[in-house]
Amino acid sequence: MVEEQGPTVESNPLGAHQGDVLISPPSMEPNQRVERREPGRRNKIKFPKANEAEVWRKLDTDLSEVLERSLHGNVEAKLNLLGKILYQECKDRFGEITIKQTAALRGKGRREKEINQLVQRRQHLRKNWRKATQGEKEGLKMVRDEVKRKLASLRRAEHIRKHRKRKEKERANFFKHARQLLEDKKSRKLEVTNEKLEQHIRGQYSDPWKVQGLFGRNILQLPLQSISLGYKQGKTRLVQELRKSTDQLVRCADAQVRTG
């Protein structure tokens, strides 16, 4: 018996997975760069004030010289180095602004924790008292009164502690303010010429009219006419009051009034 040999067929290694879809990894372009995580935010520079023109002018000159010596290569390389060089030079010259560390929040103290526990226990007792029978309510009432007494005592002690802390803080602030008022003032130097100083003092404290009299021609006149008019009106009013008085003795007295 002779076996017929047919053409050999290569077995497909992927025949068992014809239904599967093979996903090849994406091809990367030669110029494509891998993204890198940027460094954290840098601290701020303690730059000088804007009115310090000489400091800014010197900084501009020095940075120009440093950049001319340090920047090499293509445009992209120069842009990458520009920010680093500027930041490092300004940091070495002026320093950084240090960020103050915030103090950690104060946790609850022993007394405050006990107060919270007693409040929760009182609420639990109130719920049980509503569901309890008449005989159980008496015992729950005694327990609730005891909890209420302890809670009042703890709250009173906590109030005293907070009041004492507040007073200590106010006392410290008061002494700090008083120390600032009583400390020696910083002396300053007055740079001005003698001519300008004398001119300023003469303009502020001298009076060019001090040798002139108050009462003179076209300077100051007394209101003589108004004074005499007021005197005559007063005398006339007195005469009318005496003549038209309701008292008969006053009307018949015939008092003499000099009206001038």
Side-chain angles (χ1 to χ4, degrees):
M1 186 174 180
V2 180
E3 295 180 359
E4 296 181 358
Q5 296 181 357
T8 58
V9 180
E10 296 180 358
S11 61
N12 187 5
L14 300 178
H17 305 282
Q18 290 180 358
D20 298 341
V21 179
L22 299 178
I23 301 176
S24 59
S27 59
M28 297 181 62
E29 298 179 0
N31 295 331
Q32 186 177 3
R33 294 180 299 175
V34 181
E35 294 182 0
R36 297 181 180 179
R37 183 177 297 178
E38 296 181 358
R41 186 179 181 87
R42 299 171 180 173
N43 295 333
K44 295 182 179 180
I45 303 297
K46 191 185 298 183
F47 285 107
K49 296 181 180 179
N51 56 0
E52 299 179 4
E54 187 63 28
V55 179
W56 286 102
R57 191 179 299 108
K58 189 175 185 305
L59 176 63
D60 189 14
T61 305
D62 296 344
L63 286 177
S64 300
E65 296 177 358
V66 171
L67 292 176
E68 288 180 0
R69 294 194 308 265
S70 303
L71 294 181
H72 301 288
N74 55 9
V75 178
E76 186 177 359
K78 290 181 179 180
L79 291 176
N80 292 333
L81 292 175
L82 179 62
K84 297 180 181 179
I85 294 174
L86 292 178
Y87 180 82
Q88 191 64 33
E89 288 293 330
C90 296
K91 175 184 175 182
D92 297 340
R93 180 170 300 192
F94 304 116
E96 298 178 339
I97 298 177
T98 57
I99 301 176
K100 296 182 179 179
Q101 298 292 337
T102 57
L105 297 177
R106 173 185 172 274
K108 292 184 178 181
R110 176 188 58 82
R111 191 182 292 114
E112 293 177 343
K113 293 180 180 179
E114 291 182 3
I115 290 175
N116 293 336
Q117 293 176 0
L118 289 176
V119 170
Q120 295 177 1
R121 186 179 179 186
R122 185 181 60 179
Q123 295 175 356
H124 184 67
L125 289 174
R126 186 182 295 113
K127 293 179 181 179
N128 292 340
W129 185 83
R130 293 173 182 174
K131 300 178 182 179
T133 60
Q134 189 65 28
E136 295 175 347
K137 287 184 178 181
E138 295 295 332
L140 291 176
K141 185 177 182 301
M142 295 176 60
V143 176
R144 191 176 63 178
D145 293 342
E146 181 66 19
V147 171
K148 183 178 179 181
R149 185 184 61 80
K150 291 182 179 180
L151 186 60
S153 177
L154 291 175
R155 283 179 172 174
R156 190 182 305 109
E158 187 67 17
H159 175 73
I160 294 173
R161 184 190 68 83
K162 291 182 178 180
H163 181 72
R164 184 175 64 252
K165 286 288 185 181
R166 185 173 66 253
K167 286 295 183 181
E168 291 177 357
K169 186 176 180 180
E170 292 176 356
R171 193 180 301 112
N173 293 336
F174 171 76
F175 285 115
K176 181 180 179 180
H177 179 66
R179 195 180 302 111
Q180 292 177 355
L181 292 177
L182 299 177
E183 67 181 0
D184 297 336
K185 301 297 181 181
K186 296 181 179 179
S187 60
R188 296 183 179 180
K189 185 178 180 181
L190 179 62
E191 296 180 357
V192 66
T193 60
N194 293 333
E195 292 79 5
K196 291 184 178 180
L197 181 60
E198 292 178 359
Q199 183 180 1
H200 174 74
I201 294 175
R202 189 180 300 108
Q204 292 292 329
Y205 301 104
S206 62
D207 184 12
W209 300 95
K210 62 182 179 180
V211 296
Q212 300 291 337
L214 293 177
F215 305 101
R217 182 179 298 177
N218 298 328
I219 297 178
L220 183 62
Q221 296 180 359
L222 290 175
L224 298 178
Q225 185 177 2
S226 61
I227 293 176
S228 60
L229 181 60
Y231 176 77
K232 293 179 180 180
Q233 290 177 352
K235 292 294 184 178
T236 305
R237 189 180 301 108
L238 179 59
V239 171
Q240 294 296 328
E241 289 178 356
L242 293 176
R243 290 179 180 178
K244 297 181 180 181
S245 177
T246 56
D247 193 351
Q248 185 178 2
L249 296 176
V250 175
R251 289 197 307 269
C252 298
D254 194 13
Q256 299 294 328
V257 179
R258 296 181 180 180
T259 58

